[in-house]
Amino acid sequence: MAIQEDIEAFLTSHADEGYRAFQAKLIPNIDAATIVGVRTPDLRKFAKGLARRGDAGEFLAALPHGTFEENQLHSFVIARERDFDRLVGAIENFLPLVDNWATCDQLSCRGLAADPDATLVKVRSWLESDREYTVRFAIGVLMQLFLDERFRPEFFAWVVGVSRSEYYVNMMRAWYFAEALAKQPAAAEEVIVSAALDVWTHNKAIQKAVESRRISPEQKERLRALRRRLS
């Protein structure tokens, strides 16, 4: 049986109408008719088998996909690629078609850690994209791979410099700085004190940081005092 037929059979057999309705509420910007309603653990498990198939490339090349779940499977299959150049190629082929936060965030970037310098070059280009979820993905890469031992203060300027109106981009910017306040507290707090971020992202970053158990009570109090009013 062809790989696409196997995928369609899997999705049909694992469809859950209640879960489909739940997903549709979580991802309101995509057509609910494209959501089948298959749970993420089932998709991950199935993707492992897909990635090992000799015809997996046929599925990855069959873009655009027709359902949200196929896009999720695509993300999970890509994440299993261990060759850096092939991984980057697969990501860049898929990113322009990503149309929602869930698929964007499921596109694991761990394999990009194999070549941090080359990854940073890609991050800079992705940040300059005109596509909402390509920019979100780039910020996610900085958050996941470059907030610990690979951190450099200039990365904050990269994220501050993203000037976009899209909710899902700015939510990721806020999430990034909330994580930074936990992992690089002194440098990140300087950004908050400087009021370099737009007001919405500034306040959302503080909100998310204050909700974190990794932020000390003393830091939370300082952050609460730094909230800004929307004009």
Side-chain angles (χ1 to χ4, degrees):
M1 185 180 291
I3 190 167
Q4 191 62 40
E5 293 175 351
D6 286 346
I7 291 170
E8 290 173 3
F10 164 78
L11 295 179
T12 299
S13 66
H14 287 75
D16 181 324
E17 177 57 32
Y19 189 67
R20 189 199 70 78
F22 172 73
Q23 286 286 79
K25 291 179 181 178
L26 286 180
I27 317 166
N29 65 300
I30 65 173
D31 183 354
T34 67
I35 301 174
V36 178
V38 180
R39 296 178 182 274
T40 299
D42 293 329
L43 290 169
R44 286 187 183 277
K45 183 177 179 180
F46 187 68
K48 289 181 182 180
L50 285 183
R52 292 193 293 264
R53 288 181 58 148
D55 57 354
E58 294 180 19
F59 168 62
L60 297 180
L63 293 170
H65 299 305
T67 66
F68 166 74
E69 281 76 8
E70 286 172 285
N71 284 327
Q72 294 290 85
L73 286 173
H74 196 120
S75 288
F76 296 144
V77 170
I78 287 176
R80 304 188 70 80
E81 177 58 64
R82 293 297 174 259
D83 180 88
F84 180 82
D85 290 334
R86 286 200 295 267
L87 173 61
V88 170
I91 289 172
E92 294 205 305
N93 193 45
F94 185 51
L95 270 179
L97 299 170
V98 173
D99 63 357
N100 67 89
W101 68 265
T103 301
C104 179
D105 295 358
Q106 296 286 13
L107 187 53
S108 173
C109 61
R110 289 181 209 165
L112 296 176
D115 192 337
D117 290 338
T119 293
L120 287 172
V121 171
K122 289 297 180 184
V123 166
R124 290 304 301 268
S125 68
W126 293 332
L127 286 173
E128 295 172 1
S129 171
D130 61 355
R131 296 182 181 275
E132 176 179 2
Y133 295 100
T134 298
V135 177
R136 181 181 171 98
F137 176 75
I139 299 168
V141 173
L142 287 175
M143 181 174 71
Q144 293 180 53
L145 300 183
F146 295 95
L147 270 181
D148 294 301
E149 69 277 1
R150 301 185 188 95
F151 172 72
R152 300 202 305 258
E154 68 194 79
F155 300 152
F156 285 172
W158 295 7
V159 179
V160 168
V162 173
S163 180
R164 309 277 300 217
S165 62
E166 297 99 335
Y167 171 84
Y168 290 108
V169 169
N170 288 320
M171 182 58 82
M172 179 58 82
R173 293 171 74 224
W175 185 10
Y176 172 83
F177 276 105
E179 285 291 304
L181 284 162
K183 293 186 173 184
Q184 303 290 340
E189 198 165 326
E190 284 185 12
V191 175
I192 299 301
V193 170
S194 74
L197 292 164
D198 60 276
V199 176
W200 187 92
T201 304
H202 173 101
N203 288 341
K204 184 60 70 172
I206 290 174
Q207 176 190 326
K208 293 175 76 68
V210 167
E211 292 169 353
S212 173
R213 295 180 179 179
R214 294 173 296 161
I215 303 291
S216 71
E218 294 78 15
Q219 189 181 12
K220 288 181 181 182
E221 283 305 307
R222 291 197 301 273
L223 291 172
R224 289 189 183 101
L226 291 169
R227 288 174 175 146
R228 292 155 60 195
R229 289 189 177 185
L230 289 168
S231 56

